[in-house]
Amino acid sequence: MSRYGWSLNREQSSPYGSVSGRMPAVTDDDFSYITSRDLDAGERHYPRRRSTPEDDILILKNKGATYPANFPAYSIGDGKLRVNDVRDRIGLLMGLSDRATRRIKLLYKGKQLKEPAAAVRDYGVKNRSELMAVLPEAAPDDAVIADVSPDDAKSRRRKKKKSGKKRDSKGEGDSASSPCDAPRAGSSSGPMKRIEELHDEFVAKWLPLCTQYTASPPSDPKTRDEEHRRLSESILQSILLKLDGVDTEGIPEVRARRKELVNQVQGVLKALDAAKAS
């Protein structure tokens, strides 16, 4: 026995002496495999982080058509997206002119987004909210200008100026009792007639539906909310927005009549809100 307590014999000291030069036997049990199920489980417990955040999206609707509009990520929640930005985007998507884009009216849950510089977040708009875009009716002046050349448009403006001068020169010799009252009385017929038409439409078409809703709101919460939104947005688009577009021409009677109808419609909308919350 050696001084270190173990033999110096090679055959006895070598731990590999029994192998005798052959490779060890290896089976499938010596390996472990990662299956697709293991990968799915790992994905659930440790989801991959997205390299870039997703864009904010608003669903813009107009006359049954839907326009998904993408905006920078978190711009809605951070209050950076303005009403004017959304208006410009839908004008771009629909190929509108700058003038028509500025006249677009945006609605969210029956309320109009009036302030162009205000953040859409201030009106309760969130990522993936649905907004209604109301486009202005085609202006007759725009259609005329679009059909004529620039030279023809200039000549028409010159003729208007000349005719205006002739009228002024003829009116100088008339008495002071008739120059202002007659045109003003005639001009009030157009705006006042339009207001009365909107009043008749509201009373005949929308008021019965609102009365039925307030008297007996749907018991199902989802149906109640959808019916409330449909009525509110329809009245806002069909009556209030059109009333807002009526030019009173500074006539007190027309202005008072329009205000009276606006208050009546707003009172019905408040009754709808109360019935929905009940």
Side-chain angles (χ1 to χ4, degrees), residues 73-248:
Y74 312 121
S75 59
I76 298 176
D78 293 343
K80 296 180 180 179
L81 186 64
R82 308 290 176 179
V83 174
N84 208 30
D85 299 331
V86 181
R87 189 180 295 165
D88 291 341
R89 178 60 57 85
I90 193 161
L92 182 64
L93 291 173
M94 300 187 69
L96 302 177
S97 64
D98 292 341
R99 180 181 179 185
T101 300
R102 288 193 299 268
R103 296 168 59 194
I104 292 176
K105 296 179 181 179
L106 298 173
L107 310 176
Y108 178 65
K109 291 186 176 180
K111 296 182 180 179
Q112 182 181 356
L113 283 62
K114 290 186 177 182
E115 296 297 331
V120 296
R121 182 186 65 177
D122 297 343
Y123 293 94
V125 177
K126 301 177 182 179
N127 187 22
R128 299 188 179 276
S129 292
E130 294 183 0
L131 277 70
M132 180 183 296
V134 181
L135 273 61
E137 297 179 357
D141 294 341
D142 296 339
V144 172
I145 294 175
D147 293 337
V148 299
S149 63
D151 295 336
D152 293 337
K154 290 181 180 179
S155 63
R156 290 185 181 184
R157 286 195 291 268
R158 289 171 185 166
K159 291 180 180 179
K160 287 183 179 180
K161 290 182 180 179
K162 291 180 180 179
S163 62
K165 291 180 180 179
K166 291 180 180 180
R167 292 173 184 171
D168 294 340
S169 61
K170 291 181 179 180
E172 289 178 355
D174 297 340
S175 61
S177 58
S178 61
C180 298
D181 295 339
R184 184 166 184 174
S187 63
S188 66
S189 61
M192 185 67 80
K193 180 181 179 181
R194 181 57 177 155
I195 293 174
E196 294 302 333
E197 289 174 351
L198 292 172
H199 170 266
D200 295 341
E201 179 184 351
F202 174 70
V203 172
K205 183 176 180 180
W206 300 111
L207 188 57
L209 297 176
C210 295
T211 303
Q212 181 181 357
Y213 182 91
T214 53
S216 179
S219 57
D220 180 58
K222 184 178 180 181
T223 305
R224 179 185 300 190
D225 183 71
E226 291 178 351
E227 186 67 14
H228 171 270
R229 182 171 61 180
R230 185 185 70 83
L231 286 174
S232 300
E233 292 182 351
S234 298
I235 293 173
L236 188 61
Q237 180 178 356
S238 302
I239 305 299
L240 283 182
L241 292 181
K242 292 181 179 180
L243 278 173
D244 185 59
V246 174
D247 185 9
T248 62

Side-chain angles (χ1 to χ4, degrees), residues 43 46-53:
E43 181 70 19
Y46 304 99
R48 297 178 182 177
R49 293 185 178 179
R50 300 182 184 276
S51 57
T52 56

Side-chain angles (χ1 to χ4, degrees), residues 8-30:
L8 295 177
N9 189 326
R10 283 183 189 276
E11 294 182 359
Q12 296 179 357
S13 63
S14 175
Y16 306 104
S18 62
V19 177
S20 67
R22 292 184 295 108
M23 294 294 295
V26 179
T27 64
D28 291 341
D29 295 336
D30 295 321

